[in-house]
Amino acid sequence: MKTWFDGRWSENAPAPLLAHALHYGTGVFEGIRCYLAARGPALFRLDDHLERFANGARRLAMKLDLEAIRQACLDAVVENGLEEAYIRPIAFYGTGALGLDLAPLTLHVAVAALPWNSHLGARAAQFGVSACVSERRRNDARAIPPLKLTGAYVNSVLAKLEATRAGFDEALFVDDRGLVCEATGENVFMVRAGRVTAARHPDALPGITRRTLIELSGADEREIPLEELLQADEAFLTGTSAEVTPLAQLGDRRYGVGRVTRELQQAYAAAVRSGPDRWLSPAREEAHAK
Ligand code: PMP
């Protein structure tokens, strides 16, 4: 697998052992999908992902060449001969010091592309996943902004670990007021009496799949108390990787997989492969490497 690392393509791009990001989580990343569309492999909402990436980079005082990173995302698909793929850009601080001041540190940028594999498993789309309500709180946006900063993901990893140890697939973060925040790597929706609602919460990542689903379904967005989610007819999770994954079970509450969720799964699957065009960046047409 060829990775773009600091401006070059290489088969083996090692990060230094004393990389600041490894020790303190000072990196920012994205997860982008490429689907086989009519015009060949196309990256879905590439510029929206890059905008969120840029927001995270700005918080960490990183100056990045976003045009070069955009090009590398497209080229990574073509360089590796991929069709359906997952693209992972990451910018992170390297070496120079082990203090917390960023100024002396080297900055690295990489883009990797992997053949696609669903992180929740192929069965998840069909049968849905189970989640527990996590005992843990989501990173408060006043402590760590809800962006894809690498260090922030320890919060998700701990919740996911505890959930899987308890026999669930996923964990749902709920705040001190009992409001639904998000899952460890997905946003949350519910369906009640045919009406689709996206959970809104200041500590949740502004998901691009969430935004897509709101557009496709005409969902409203508002705070959702856990009690209300438990009474919903259907619930589902959204993410670049998870796409539209039915939430089949939350704690003891079993929803199964509902009709509206199925329809939205299909609508999303159609959108990622056939547009609108403004959401698709065809890799072969835009790539440098041909
Ligand atoms: N929340 C978290 C914590 C995530 O990591 C993700 C995945 N990026 C999402 C929600 C969904 O965001 P998106 O739809 O942009 O992938």
Side-chain angles (χ1 to χ4, degrees):
M1 198 55 53
K2 274 192 252 174
T3 302
W4 188 78
F5 187 70
D6 292 343
R8 289 212 173 91
W9 292 95
S10 96
E11 288 284 349
N12 180 21
L17 185 61
L18 291 184
H20 201 263
L22 183 61
H23 298 251
Y24 306 123
T26 47
V28 57
F29 69 102
E30 262 307 323
I32 308 169
R33 288 284 289 279
C34 175
Y35 293 93
L36 189 53
R39 290 155 71 191
L43 281 71
F44 186 66
R45 301 195 73 160
L46 172 60
D47 293 307
D48 295 304
H49 282 282
L50 289 173
E51 188 183 328
R52 188 171 62 189
F53 185 72
N55 285 341
R58 208 172 303 121
R59 299 300 177 102
L60 288 173
M62 295 173 168
K63 290 199 179 65
L64 300 177
D65 180 349
L66 283 166
E67 196 42 52
I69 295 167
R70 183 182 192 281
Q71 192 64 54
C73 289
L74 294 157
D75 289 348
V77 172
V78 179
E79 282 278 350
N80 289 296
L82 298 169
E83 289 188 325
E84 302 238 320
Y86 181 82
I87 296 107
R88 167 56 58 89
I90 181 165
F92 64 95
Y93 282 107
T95 54
L98 275 180
L100 296 182
D101 184 6
L102 298 171
L105 299 170
T106 59
L107 178 62
H108 302 282
V109 188
V111 178
L114 313 167
W116 174 241
N117 224 325
S118 164
H119 83 296
L120 287 173
R123 286 174 57 83
Q126 195 180 348
F127 301 108
V129 292
S130 65
C132 60
V133 175
S134 182
E135 301 274 313
R136 223 162 263 289
R137 293 288 167 260
R138 188 69 177 132
N139 297 324
D140 188 312
R142 292 166 298 180
I144 301 182
L147 291 165
K148 292 187 79 76
L149 305 180
T150 59
Y153 275 77
V154 172
N155 182 221
S156 284
V157 169
L158 291 174
K160 178 97 175 180
L161 179 65
E162 289 153 5
T164 52
R165 279 190 178 151
F168 295 92
D169 302 308
E170 254 297 340
L172 178 75
F173 290 108
V174 173
D175 72 10
D176 284 335
R177 296 161 60 207
L179 299 175
V180 171
C181 181
E182 63 179 336
T184 64
E186 303 87 26
N187 294 112
V188 180
F189 283 73
M190 68 171 186
V191 184
R192 272 192 97 175
R195 187 166 186 85
V196 185
T197 305
R200 182 163 60 200
H201 197 285
D203 303 337
L205 187 80
I208 292 162
T209 320
R210 175 184 186 276
R211 228 192 297 162
T212 305
L213 260 294
I214 289 171
E215 256 193 65
L216 293 176
S217 69
D220 55 3
E221 28 178 346
R222 62 171 169 83
E223 291 180 341
I224 300 180
L226 175 61
E227 285 310 311
E228 195 179 347
L229 179 61
L230 289 166
Q231 285 162 21
D233 304 321
E234 303 176 30
F236 61 90
L237 307 177
T238 63
T240 296
S241 171
E243 302 180 312
V244 177
T245 294
L247 183 62
Q249 186 186 340
L250 178 58
D252 296 337
R253 164 77 165 104
R254 285 175 196 274
Y255 302 96
V257 180
R259 183 184 54 81
V260 176
T261 301
R262 272 285 178 251
E263 284 171 8
L264 291 175
Q265 258 182 335
Q266 285 158 9
Y268 185 73
V272 295
R273 290 183 182 82
S274 42
D277 270 356
R278 67 190 152 88
W279 284 346
L280 303 180
S281 300
R284 287 180 194 148
E285 289 173 25
E286 295 192 38
H288 278 159
K290 303 252 173 177

